[in-house]
DNA sequence: GTCTATACGGGGATAGAC
DNA sequence: GTCTATCCCCGTATAGAC
């Protein structure tokens, strides 16, 4: 089982690094800690990845792959409105299930101005953002959405709600009067519904006949 | 000028630490760098603050004070709609002028689950969030805003747009087709207008007579 | 209050055995 | 491929002169 073990060791390191980078950031996470969490020798990291920084990039790359997939189903909905509801719901679900994703991406944004995350950002841009814009434009053509909205700004507003809620969870909990740990699954679901409807009301055409 | 020099040294350290923590994060910022940027001996840091962590807390505390002030004027507008427009504009202006603020706060959220930022979060909650909720509720009572919206969720959605746009600037630039550095002042202003109108359309009552 | 000098630990990374 | 041992630098923090 040499091959299996090889893959497994590499993945063990990636898993350990992902959770450590997500919880502590790049700088404070140490090679020795990553090795310990992976239950492997820290020196293996250099065998597989060459350096701590290259390991970091590999983690980001692997993360980006799973991110787009989850939202894709939403774009097959019949109406633009359903697509948007589905997308918000799917993204919120995904981010809740994988809290490392937004943490790592946002950390990369503020820590390194996204220098290591260009590939991930392009993935998201092509896989989610552009398609969301397409859905909005379709709604505008079909007359259900108002035309005096810049589709790309609207897409930013939609994504912003989901991402902010996830990232700023401790602050949002305090804002809502629930305490820094007070956001539960029910609140998250309720906010997901709100975010979708909020966006749809902002987009909906007051004169559907126009 | 002993007193002046004393204050000035302390503030020089705070200024240097603020910009360094904002640009590199807490972990990677070193005592020696902070001293160098402040043009003072690194050992002074311990004289004034006791430790690197206590210095960090002092930076966060000082930052929180200026944050609320800028938005406060908006709450004196005549109508809820004007308050929301004014708040979005003022916050976007403030965040653009002080890019350290969102960076440090978000960094603290993801790095330490906001453990060091509790005081700042409470400040924002009391000084901005609650008042924003109050404005929304007033609009609902007066009939200009629809009543089937949870005011606190709506407030989160409003803040989310502004914060996300600021924090995720490199990603948003790519999304908009402008490149990672492509967001200029005009785009920021345009988005600010959009964000305000987006929220107001989502809130506005379709049957103003109700 | 401000500086110099230094202790001390822990960091990333490498050499080389197996 | 995996491990042991270790180098060397740089980090925080302190002691003590001025």
């Amino acid at each position: 089982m040499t091959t299996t073990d090889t893959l497994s060791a590499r993945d063990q390191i990636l898993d350990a690094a992902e959770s450590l980078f997500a919880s502590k950031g790049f700088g404070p996470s140490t090679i020795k800690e990553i090795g310990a969490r992976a239950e492997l020798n820290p020196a293996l990291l250099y065998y597989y990845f060459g350096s701590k920084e290259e390991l970091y990039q590999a983690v980001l790359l692997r993360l980006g792959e799973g991110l787009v997939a989850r939202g894709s189903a939403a774009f097959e909905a019949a109406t633009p409105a359903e697509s948007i509801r589905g997308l918000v719901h799917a993204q919120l679900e995904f981010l809740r299930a994988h809290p490392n994703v937004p943490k790592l991406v946002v950390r990369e944004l503020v820590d390194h101005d996204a220098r290591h995350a260009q590939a991930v950002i392009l993935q998201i841009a092509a896989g989610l953002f552009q398609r969301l814009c397409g859905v909005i434009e379709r709604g505008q053509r079909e007359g259900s959405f108002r035309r005096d909205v810049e589709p790309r700004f609207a897409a930013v507003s939609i994504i912003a709600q989901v991402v902010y809620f996830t990232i700023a969870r401790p602050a949002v909990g305090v804002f809502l009067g629930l305490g820094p740990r007070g956001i539960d699954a029910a609140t998250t679901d309720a906010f997901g519904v709100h975010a979708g409807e909020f966006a749809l009301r902002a987009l909906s055409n007051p004169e559907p006949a126009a």
Side-chain angles (χ1 to χ4, degrees), chain A:
Chain A
M1 297 232 196
T2 309
T3 308
T4 301
D5 286 353
T6 298
L7 287 172
S8 143
R10 196 175 184 279
D11 285 345
Q12 273 174 288
I13 294 172
L14 279 172
D15 290 342
E18 177 183 315
S19 69
L20 256 177
F21 287 156
S23 70
K24 304 176 56 174
F26 179 76
S29 300
T30 72
I31 298 290
K32 285 157 189 169
E33 265 182 297
I34 295 170
R37 182 170 297 207
E39 292 175 319
L40 288 168
N41 193 291
L44 273 181
L45 192 154
Y46 293 93
Y47 177 76
Y48 282 111
F49 298 97
S51 74
K52 186 187 174 187
E53 180 129 348
E54 284 169 285
L55 168 61
Y56 177 54
Q57 304 231 28
V59 166
L60 286 176
L61 224 67
R62 194 181 65 156
L63 264 157
E65 292 170 17
L67 202 153
V68 173
R70 182 61 177 264
S72 293
F75 295 111
E76 290 163 22
T79 68
E82 280 311 307
S83 285
I84 288 173
R85 282 195 188 93
L87 183 70
V88 169
H89 182 73
Q91 290 301 94
L92 216 45
E93 282 282 310
F94 181 80
L95 295 180
R96 177 164 50 180
H98 303 269
N100 289 346
V101 174
K103 273 193 162 187
L104 274 164
V105 173
V106 166
R107 205 191 286 286
E108 176 59 20
L109 286 170
V110 296
D111 280 3
H112 313 115
D113 276 322
R115 277 192 297 280
H116 307 90
Q118 295 299 338
V120 179
I121 289 173
L122 287 172
Q123 267 181 329
I124 299 172
L128 288 181
F129 189 84
Q130 302 294 354
R131 289 157 86 183
L132 176 54
C133 290
V135 165
I136 294 169
E137 285 161 1
R138 191 183 131 206
Q140 289 178 324
R141 277 199 308 275
E142 292 176 356
S144 55
F145 291 169
R146 51 196 301 154
R147 295 206 175 85
D148 61 347
V149 178
E150 164 62 52
R152 291 175 302 173
F153 280 174
V156 170
S157 293
I158 291 169
I159 291 175
Q161 293 182 80
V162 174
V163 173
Y164 178 81
F165 185 85
T166 307
I167 292 295
R169 187 165 282 253
V172 172
V174 172
F175 292 164
L176 298 180
L178 304 169
R181 295 276 169 202
I183 296 186
D184 54 8
T187 306
T188 303
D189 288 340
F191 183 81
V193 173
H194 155 83
E197 299 308 316
F198 193 84
L200 287 173
R201 280 197 301 269
L203 283 168
S204 73
N205 197 334
E207 311 165 26

